[in-house]
Amino acid sequence: LLLLIIALLCFSIHTELIKKQSRALGCFFLLLLGRELSWGRVFFPTGVVDDMGPNFISMNSIPGHQFIHAAIFLAICLILRAIVKTFDWNALLKIPLPVFTFIILVVATVGQLSAERHLFTGLTAPQNQTLEELLELLIYMELFCLSLYYGFMRVLLHKT
């Protein structure tokens, strides 16, 4: 739900200077939403529930999974192209790095990857899974904060 709200907020920005960039970022957050929904696998539960939660069918069991993989690849390429094309690299050098937000993003990413690989040996598998999901949520919020920060700072720089 958070990713959908963030994407809708990005699409709702009407400032002409960052309108195209915010649309590209909205598509990026929709792509993250698709990833979070396992590209639709969550709509096909197997009916088996274990200590890690419900199980879903494999991606290869979904009819037309080859097209889904191709569409995901195409979407990633188009979104990356749009972000790179609409990003003002000169403004990036003028805008100070939000160090605290960046540190949180890096620490949360390292923690999420560690929890995903069950490197926190003191935690059970379900606890690692919960930690991973909570850190992913923090990563999404930090990415949105960085998007807002750079968008607003770019608008402020343009006005001066």
Side-chain angles (χ1 to χ4, degrees), residues 5-89:
I5 292 169
I6 290 172
L8 291 174
L9 286 173
C10 288
F11 289 130
S12 69
I13 293 176
H14 297 295
T15 304
E16 205 56 44
L17 180 64
I18 59 171
K19 191 176 202 175
K20 290 181 181 177
Q21 183 180 359
S22 63
R23 287 182 182 163
L25 289 171
C27 291
F28 170 72
F29 284 108
L30 284 179
L31 185 73
L32 291 177
L33 176 63
R35 179 196 163 274
E36 198 61 33
L37 294 175
S38 300
W39 310 114
R41 289 185 329 120
V42 296
F43 301 113
F44 300 101
T46 61
V48 177
V49 179
D50 57 18
D51 60 343
M52 296 292 287
N55 291 329
F56 306 103
I57 64 172
S58 70
M59 190 68 170
N60 294 337
S61 300
I62 297 176
H65 68 276
Q66 301 92 342
F67 299 113
I68 295 172
H69 288 294
I72 293 167
F73 176 74
L74 182 63
I76 290 171
C77 291
L78 291 174
I79 291 168
L80 283 176
R81 181 181 176 275
I83 290 173
V84 169
K85 184 179 175 186
T86 60
F87 202 81
D88 184 358
W89 298 100

Side-chain angles (χ1 to χ4, degrees), residues 99-112:
V99 177
F100 185 69
T101 302
F102 188 74
I103 289 172
I104 291 174
L105 183 62
V106 170
V107 170
T109 302
V110 169
Q112 184 270 336

Side-chain angles (χ1 to χ4, degrees), residues 82-152:
I83 290 173
V84 169
K85 184 179 175 186
T86 60
F87 202 81
D88 184 358
W89 298 100
N90 293 326
L92 179 66
L93 299 174
K94 296 176 186 173
I95 298 172
L97 178 71
V99 177
F100 185 69
T101 302
F102 188 74
I103 289 172
I104 291 174
L105 183 62
V106 170
V107 170
T109 302
V110 169
Q112 184 270 336
L113 291 171
S114 300
E116 183 177 32
R117 288 167 180 74
H118 302 286
L119 297 179
F120 297 114
T121 55
L123 301 177
T124 63
Q127 289 171 332
N128 270 305
Q129 178 69 26
T130 302
L131 180 62
E132 176 199 354
E133 295 300 328
L134 288 173
L135 289 173
E136 280 180 3
L137 181 66
L138 181 60
I139 290 168
Y140 297 147
M141 290 189 298
E142 291 302 315
L143 286 173
F144 182 58
C145 288
L146 281 174
S147 302
L148 282 178
Y149 174 78
Y150 279 107
F152 286 129

